[in-house]
């Protein structure tokens, strides 16, 4: 099923078409995400024609509720229900996105009914933005829940970027490859299908063939197993463990030529439960140097990572403040960094690197407040990627050289062990308590 446009204001006419082999009638309804699904924002019934094809339009009616929000388009064909997102917004652009977002996990707002109060689970909802405006990139990577991770790069050598999505917690460990329009190209399972902790992804050309490889690592609950795949999901080697295989906090991954030798490197950061230990590996999994601690070694919330040429960017993990730091490829800090959100927020911060600077998304507990900064820490862009009730945190990716997103690794081992030998809790990469979406930053 296809739906255009990706969003619009009250009165927008949505064009729909698809196939249905299970019935001679298709029904479509548009609802506010998190509502009781009793008051539709638009409905339509469509006759299935020869070959099972159908098409039609649906007019958006908001009943006076015109604030920016995410709507769920439900299409029913027999017993099959398919969902697609539609953004209620005054502005949509046809430009290529420069920033991609996805909810990091579950926590997409309170459900209105039925009682008792409960949180709405997050779908793997990918959005693309250009200059803070929603583009036509607006799709669900999967019909299930759990959020996900996102990266972007040219994995097929066509010269056009593809979107790579890793599944979120509660889902089988799956990776999807999409066009920028949201058309599925391929998918694969990088770890044991029984693992349900989620998969983080990064994208970069490790072998110089002008086709980006896909690098994976499982999220919290899995071992720090880094794996490499081509754009079709074929494994390249067996991968490697970035930290003690017994560590079960997962591993965050990024790709970039951080030492300036013309070859992309794999950068890892320990997941939650581990120290803020950043390491660099070549394409074969051989360590490059001994790594470094991006924050106080006693901090055990892990560290998110992003990379570009001669540059590593880090963000404190859960339990830490939204402290972003910059290092060269050898781990030498270029400055003290900056706080992407209120310094009192302790959900951590996710980072990505684009051609013009750093993109951040808040960790769990923060609103969907996505920001862009110069490398000097000056904020250049800010927008809310999802409805204001979303508290799952936002994973981000940036289009352009070095663009990628934070992530974590695959199952392995059975006991807990903190990378870097860290055993002390109560971190201090930033300060404590508050919610992104406020107005303060610190440089």
């Amino acid at each position: 099923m296809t739906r255009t446009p990706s969003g619009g204001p009250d009165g927008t006419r949505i064009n729909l078409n698809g196939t249905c082999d299970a019935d001679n009638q298709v029904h479509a309804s548009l609802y506010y995400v998190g509502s009781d699904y009793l008051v539709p924002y638009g409905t339509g019934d469509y006759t299935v024609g020869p070959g099972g094809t159908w098409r039609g339009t649906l007019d958006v009616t908001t009943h006076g509720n015109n604030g920016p929000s995410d709507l769920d388009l439900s299409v029913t064909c027999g017993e099959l229900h398919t969902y697609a997102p539609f953004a209620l917004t005054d502005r949509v652009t046809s430009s290529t996105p420069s920033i991609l977002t996805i909810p990091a996990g579950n926590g997409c707002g309170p459900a209105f009914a039925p009682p008792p109060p409960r949180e709405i689970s997050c779908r793997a909802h990918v959005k693309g933005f250009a200059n803070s405006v929603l583009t036509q990139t607006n799709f669900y990577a999967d019909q299930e829940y759990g959020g996900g991770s996102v990266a972007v790069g040219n994995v097929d050598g066509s010269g056009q970027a593809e979107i790579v999505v890793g599944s979120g917690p509660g889902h089988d460990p799956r990776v999807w490859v999409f066009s920028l329009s949201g058309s599925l190209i391929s998918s694969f399972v990088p770890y044991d299908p029984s693992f349900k902790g989620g998969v983080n992804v990064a994208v970069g050309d490790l072998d110089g063939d002008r086709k980006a490889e896909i690098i994976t690592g499982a999220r919290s609950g899995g071992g720090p197993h880094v794996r490499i795949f081509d754009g079709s999901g074929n494994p390249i080697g067996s991968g490697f463990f970035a930290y003690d295989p017994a560590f079960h906090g997962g591993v965050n991954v990024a790709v970039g030529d951080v030492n300036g030798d013309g070859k992309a490197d794999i950068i890892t950061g320990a997941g939650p439960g581990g120290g803020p230990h950043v390491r660099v590996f070549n394409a074969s999994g051989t360590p490059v140097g001994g790594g470094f601690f991006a924050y106080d070694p006693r901090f055990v919330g892990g560290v998110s990572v992003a990379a570009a040429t001669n540059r590593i960017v880090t963000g404190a993990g859960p339990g830490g403040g939204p402290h972003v730091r910059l290092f060269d490829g050898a781990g030498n800090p270029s400055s003290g960094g900056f706080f992407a959100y209120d310094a009192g927020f302790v959900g951590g911060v996710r980072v990505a690197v684009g051609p013009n600077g750093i993109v951040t998304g808040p960790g769990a507990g923060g609103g969907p407040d996505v920001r862009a900064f110069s490398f000097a820490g000056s904020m250049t862009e800010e927008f809310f990627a999802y409805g204001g009730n979303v508290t799952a945190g936002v994973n981000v990716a940036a289009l352009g050289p070095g663009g990628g997103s934070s992530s974590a690794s695959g199952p392995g081992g059975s006991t807990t062990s903190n990378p870097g030998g860290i055993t002390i809790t109560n971190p201090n990469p930033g300060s404590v308590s508050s919610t992104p979406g406020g107005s303060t930053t610190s440089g």
Side-chain angles (χ1 to χ4, degrees):
M1 185 265 293
T2 61
R3 167 238 62 217
T4 55
S6 64
D10 185 22
T12 297
R13 174 158 290 182
I14 302 174
N15 296 296
L16 302 170
N17 67 80
T19 59
C20 175
D21 297 324
D23 207 339
N24 60 5
Q25 194 82 3
V26 169
H27 177 75
S29 300
L30 191 66
Y31 295 97
Y32 173 65
V33 172
S35 73
D36 54 14
Y37 282 70
L38 294 178
V39 181
Y41 280 36
T43 62
D45 292 290
Y46 316 99
T47 301
V48 177
T53 61
W54 63 272
R55 66 180 58 248
T57 62
L58 183 152
D59 294 330
V60 179
T61 304
T62 65
H63 313 289
N65 301 319
N66 293 321
S69 57
D70 290 311
L71 305 181
D72 237 349
L73 177 66
S74 171
V75 175
T76 303
C77 162
E79 298 297 320
L80 178 65
H81 299 272
T82 303
Y83 298 91
F86 180 86
L88 188 60
T89 177
D90 289 335
R91 296 191 299 166
V92 180
T93 178
S94 58
S95 299
T96 299
S98 57
I99 295 174
L100 297 168
T101 67
I102 190 170
N106 284 319
C108 279
F112 295 118
R118 57 188 174 87
E119 281 285 319
I120 295 294
S121 297
C122 299
R123 296 186 193 273
H125 186 181
V126 179
K127 283 186 175 183
F129 296 85
N131 297 316
S132 303
V133 178
L134 179 69
T135 68
Q136 296 302 322
T137 300
N138 184 19
F139 63 91
Y140 295 142
D142 187 63
Q143 297 293 302
E144 297 185 37
Y145 295 92
S149 63
V150 64
V152 61
N154 180 205
V155 301
D156 63 2
S158 66
Q160 301 295 317
E162 286 81 42
I163 299 171
V164 178
V165 177
S167 59
H171 199 289
D172 67 317
R174 187 166 295 275
V175 173
W176 300 271
V177 180
F178 296 90
S179 68
L180 288 177
S181 66
S183 297
L184 179 64
I185 298 172
S186 64
S187 71
F188 60 94
V189 177
Y191 302 108
D192 187 319
S194 65
F195 175 63
K196 304 293 184 182
V199 180
N200 286 319
V201 290
V203 170
D205 184 2
L206 296 173
D207 57 11
D209 66 352
R210 298 190 178 184
K211 295 181 182 180
E213 281 70 49
I214 299 171
I215 294 82
T216 68
R219 293 171 68 169
S220 185
H225 189 190
V226 177
R227 299 200 67 190
I228 304 169
F229 299 85
D230 67 20
S232 298
N234 300 305
I236 301 173
S238 59
F240 59 92
F241 285 85
Y243 305 100
D244 186 333
F247 174 61
H248 262 202
V251 58
N252 299 310
V253 292
V255 180
D257 178 15
V258 299
N259 55 13
D261 65 356
K263 299 178 181 179
D265 307 290
I266 299 171
I267 298 85
T268 68
H277 193 187
V278 177
R279 302 190 70 188
V280 179
F281 298 85
N282 65 20
S284 64
T286 302
V288 180
F292 61 94
F293 288 90
Y295 305 100
D296 187 329
R298 296 171 297 175
F299 174 57
V300 291
V303 56
S304 65
V305 288
T309 302
N310 298 315
R311 197 185 303 269
I312 296 173
V313 178
T314 67
H323 191 185
V324 177
R325 298 197 69 191
L326 289 79
F327 300 84
D328 66 18
N332 301 304
S334 59
S335 70
F338 60 91
F339 285 84
Y341 305 100
D342 187 319
F345 175 64
V346 291
V349 59
R350 281 69 181 257
V351 291
V353 178
N356 300 315
I358 300 166
V359 179
T360 66
D369 186 359
V370 175
R371 298 181 178 184
F373 297 85
S374 69
F375 288 114
S378 298
M379 189 165 68
T380 58
E381 187 175 353
E382 179 182 21
F383 58 89
F384 280 74
Y386 303 96
N389 287 333
V390 172
T391 58
V394 180
N395 280 328
V396 290
L399 222 61
S405 66
S406 57
S407 129
S409 177
S414 57
T415 60
T416 60
S417 170
N418 292 329
I422 308 308
T423 56
I424 302 175
T425 57
N426 206 16
N428 189 27
S431 346
V432 276
S433 95
S434 161
T435 300
S439 57
T440 61
T441 58
S442 170

